[in-house]
Amino acid sequence: MTRTPIHTRPDGSIDTARYMARGRRMRSEEAHRLARRTTSRLPALAVAAVSVLAALLILPMAT
């Protein structure tokens, strides 16, 4: 594994603001990816929920 250089500020300290911004961006990208994945399944879940509800309402009347 190759190491990437640690970014520092002119005074030699670690540039924590850079890494904090990077972490925020990465978390945001992952949250957006998960939201897209979840919402793409909603139509199928809605159809399944309506089907189950219809079955629950119709089956008691059939007996």
Side-chain angles (χ1 to χ4, degrees):
M1 184 169 95
T2 60
R3 290 187 170 205
T4 58
I6 296 174
H7 291 273
T8 58
R9 294 186 284 214
D11 66 359
S13 62
I14 296 174
D15 189 1
T16 56
R18 174 190 175 97
Y19 293 108
M20 289 171 52
R22 178 179 175 221
R24 281 192 299 272
R25 185 179 64 251
M26 291 170 74
R27 280 190 299 276
S28 175
E29 289 169 357
E30 183 65 15
H32 282 90
R33 187 186 70 76
L34 290 172
R36 278 191 302 273
R37 195 171 106 191
T38 303
T39 56
S40 69
R41 296 180 183 170
L42 285 180
L45 291 175
V47 169
V50 169
S51 299
V52 169
L53 182 59
L56 291 173
L57 293 174
I58 293 170
L59 287 178
M61 293 179 194
T63 57

